[in-house]
Amino acid sequence: MKPHTDPSDSELLQAMLAGEERALAALYRRRQGGIYRFALQICGSQALAEDVTQEVFMVLIRDGHTFDPTRGSLNAFLVGVARNLLLRRLQRERFYVPIEENSDSDADTHESFLTTGGPLEDLSRLETINSVRTAVLALPERYREVVVLCDLQEMSYVEAADVLSCAVGTVRSRLHRARALLIERLRPAPEEQASTTVNSARCFA
Amino acid sequence: MNCQDFEIIVNELARRQMMQADVREQALAHTGECEVCALRLADERVLTQQLCAVTIQMSEMEAPARIETELLAAFRQNKFTNQSTRRRPSAIQDWRYWVTAAAAVLLIVIGIAAMRSRPSPVAAENPYVPTIGPDVAYIAKPSDTVVGPKPISSPEQGATLASYKPRRHANALMAQSNSANSGSGRETSLADRNTTVAANYGANEIATDFLPVGYTSPMNLQDGGQVMRVELPRSALADFGLPVNMARVNERVKADVLVGPDGQARAIRFVQ
């Protein structure tokens, strides 16, 4: 839990708009991770996620006064800006980078997560995580957004609706459909199951 | 609870979202009765676990530190720019305002000058409108441009002729005035007036170009001649390729006929 003395996002924003560099630094350190991960989960490209993260805070520096706290949280505002930037960039560049390109950098991060179990179990988890990320990236845009926001970013339906500028019911229905698609895509193919059985039988034969 | 109701809340159930306790119990009880819904809930729970694993795996991911450095540098620069040029937008707007105003005034002046330097649109488009003042006659070479006016020396000499190449006729035409003592020394270039020359006898008369009659050559016309005012049936306009108002075809129209020294008609122009 944060110390009680921590200023809120709005306070930091006001201080930043007043010219305090430290307020910007604090705000950036607090929110950059979520923005970066959101961008990475949406586009799958580290370079693009970095660009978008930087651009989001540039927008905040330039047009931070346009933020209206009555319309939602600053985090939702920033994620919304990131979403708009991503959509623009993706439409312009069709910049879909396979997840394998990030395998080297991901491996370092994986180690922090895979602290339990043996190497074979870790390998299996890695494969599962990669397949899930690939399946999320393969979702249609509107379904991918809600999965990233509600499941990966752990936002509430209301927050996600603020980011997407749509109704809560729309978020729910899209999430329902998106999860059904993910289950369908992550389910192993019947041939794969059959071949596994045959191979096992041969091994034991 | 039936399968349809279960499908509505299966996501929240698998994601462990807050819901009413009795609804949750009914849903779980339904999975004990319905194998399909039980499998559906199991799939959703597996997916939730997988997504949680992705979330945990990516939880430590952050943007590179260089971005923060660049942002802070941009912030400093932006702050400096804002402080030093806070009043600049209004200055730019003022500058643009005055430039726009000056350009507008310039355009108006140029427009007025252009309007004054060109003939009136009616005269340019309507060959019946006279473009030369009254009582002026010309001698012109058989070319597109009339060199200049030359006053008639005396009425006894008759009309001095001007021949030029009209818009619609290849033959040389003539313009003449029956007044001999006016327009002296005045020169007018007609090249930029579509070579439309017509002399206005009265204050309000409008005349066409002189149109050749028969096969008169320009050389014969230079010998001089005399202009006679006659009246002709309006249908005569059609003989010279001019439009005729059929409603007034029975009316008469005035015309000036150029009669050569031999007494034969050389050219004609219609007057209104």
Side-chain angles (χ1 to χ4, degrees), chain A residues 19 21 28-29 32 37 40 50 54 57 106 109-110 113 129 150-152 157 176 179 186-187, chain B residues 7 11-12 15 43-44 48 50-51 55-59 61-64 66 68 70 76 79:
Chain A
E21 188 177 318
Y28 174 80
R29 286 168 195 157
Q32 57 88 18
R37 286 191 293 275
L40 186 59
E50 290 171 10
Q54 184 170 5
F57 284 93
D106 288 345
T109 315
H110 294 162
F113 169 60
I129 287 171
C150 296
D151 281 331
L152 300 181
Y157 290 149
H176 188 273
R179 288 176 65 96
L186 291 170
R187 185 173 291 156
Chain B
E7 183 64 28
N11 278 344
E12 280 75 18
R15 297 173 69 235
D43 284 343
E44 287 284 347
T48 302
Q50 291 172 334
L51 290 169
T55 303
I56 293 170
Q57 181 228 359
M58 298 182 73
S59 62
M61 287 188 174
E62 291 185 342
R66 65 172 172 79
E68 181 179 353
E70 291 172 2
R76 282 183 221 112
K79 190 167 67 173

Side-chain angles (χ1 to χ4, degrees), chain A residues 3-184:
Chain A
H4 189 67
T5 55
D6 277 358
S8 67
D9 286 350
S10 296
E11 290 170 343
L12 285 175
L13 177 63
Q14 292 304 318
M16 185 202 80
L17 292 175
E20 279 191 34
E21 188 177 318
R22 283 185 301 178
L24 171 64
L27 198 55
Y28 174 80
R29 286 168 195 157
R30 184 183 292 178
R31 293 297 172 197
Q32 57 88 18
I35 304 295
Y36 175 75
R37 286 191 293 275
F38 168 77
L40 186 59
Q41 288 157 354
I42 289 287
C43 69
S45 162
Q46 277 189 333
L48 183 53
E50 290 171 10
D51 285 352
V52 167
T53 304
Q54 184 170 5
E55 188 62 26
V56 165
F57 284 93
M58 287 300 294
V59 169
L60 191 67
I61 291 171
R62 283 196 308 262
D63 306 320
H65 58 277
T66 61
F67 167 66
D68 183 4
T70 61
R71 296 178 60 185
S73 65
L74 181 65
N75 187 42
F77 173 78
L78 295 175
V79 175
V81 172
R83 173 182 175 255
N84 291 335
L85 291 171
L86 275 170
L87 292 180
R88 207 176 303 159
R89 289 285 293 270
L90 290 174
Q91 283 176 355
R92 194 173 60 198
E93 301 175 14
R94 301 290 175 199
F95 196 1
Y96 293 102
V97 179
I99 199 167
E100 286 75 17
E101 285 193 6
N102 303 327
S103 57
D104 293 341
S105 57
D106 288 345
D108 299 336
T109 315
H110 294 162
E111 289 176 3
S112 63
F113 169 60
L114 302 172
T115 53
T116 58
L120 290 179
E121 191 178 347
D122 294 347
L123 187 62
S124 175
R125 281 189 187 183
L126 272 178
E127 286 178 352
T128 302
I129 287 171
N130 278 339
S131 62
V132 172
R133 288 182 63 185
T134 306
V136 170
L137 285 172
L139 283 175
E141 200 171 88
R142 56 182 178 172
Y143 297 135
R144 194 187 333 153
E145 288 175 339
V146 290
V147 168
V148 169
L149 291 174
C150 296
D151 281 331
L152 300 181
Q153 295 281 313
E154 298 176 336
M155 282 187 177
S156 67
Y157 290 149
V158 176
E159 286 176 313
D162 282 344
V163 171
L164 300 175
S165 303
C166 64
V168 173
T170 306
V171 174
R172 285 189 63 173
S173 61
R174 283 185 187 175
L175 183 63
H176 188 273
R177 176 67 180 146
R179 288 176 65 96
L181 284 172
L182 277 178
I183 290 170
E184 195 66 30

